[in-house]
Amino acid sequence: MVEGPRLDSELAEGISPSASAAHLARADAITRPQSRRRIAAALNRAIEESFAPARRVTAEAPLSVSAIRSCREQLITLARQIVHTENPRVQAVAIASQLAFDGRGALFFQPKQEPSPDRLANTITAALSALRVSGEFDRMDRPLDGVSV
């Protein structure tokens, strides 16, 4: 989906999944178990790569190795909870998805910024905090099937 990154950003910021049909479709897509497993795998892969020997330069966005190493336990917790939380809040999954796949995010090295474990830690904390709220919260403002509003 071409709009995926924009929709993920808006969902991560807390926009309601019911804001539009596109937001709702994206929310449903990223909260599927298969999508959540893919997010967790990307987070775990980043941890593994941050402890691996340096590799050749590739087209992939470089990881923020020092931040990942200092936030290792938080990342492991996030990856585990993204997969195992029943009915996770869309905002939490969107934050984790951005973290895992957006090369401009806190998981990746930013050449114009000082490497900061705090930025990564704060992003992980935001995702974990959002996971503490049931996904039912996201459905509170959705119209019920067959009921006119």
Side-chain angles (χ1 to χ4, degrees):
M1 172 184 263
V2 174
E3 292 183 312
R6 178 185 60 82
L7 294 169
D8 285 354
S9 178
E10 292 173 359
L11 291 167
E13 290 171 7
I15 193 169
S16 173
S18 63
S20 73
H23 287 95
L24 189 55
R26 184 63 179 172
D28 288 343
I30 65 174
T31 56
R32 287 188 184 117
Q34 179 180 0
S35 294
R36 292 187 287 137
R37 284 191 300 271
R38 190 172 68 89
I39 293 166
L43 295 174
N44 286 322
R45 193 170 37 259
I47 294 166
E48 289 171 15
E49 289 179 18
S50 75
F51 286 93
R55 59 185 185 152
R56 294 190 323 253
V57 175
T58 67
E60 294 178 4
L63 295 171
S64 181
V65 172
S66 61
I68 293 169
R69 286 179 178 176
S70 69
C71 296
R72 178 180 178 271
E73 293 303 318
Q74 287 177 286
L75 278 168
I76 290 169
T77 299
L78 177 59
R80 186 177 306 121
Q81 288 189 15
I82 281 294
V83 171
H84 295 294
T85 298
E86 189 174 323
N87 194 16
R89 182 147 185 233
V90 171
Q91 182 180 26
V93 179
I95 292 169
S97 179
Q98 279 193 307
L99 187 61
F101 302 117
D102 184 346
R104 298 166 298 167
L107 198 66
F108 299 93
F109 173 74
Q110 305 301 316
K112 295 181 181 179
Q113 292 181 358
E114 186 70 29
S116 171
D118 291 342
R119 180 173 178 234
L120 180 56
N122 291 338
T123 304
I124 297 166
T125 298
L128 290 171
S129 294
L131 276 173
R132 289 189 193 100
V133 178
S134 170
E136 289 303 314
F137 178 83
D138 295 322
R139 288 152 188 79
M140 289 174 52
D141 57 356
R142 287 187 190 179
L144 299 174
D145 291 333
V147 177
S148 59
V149 181

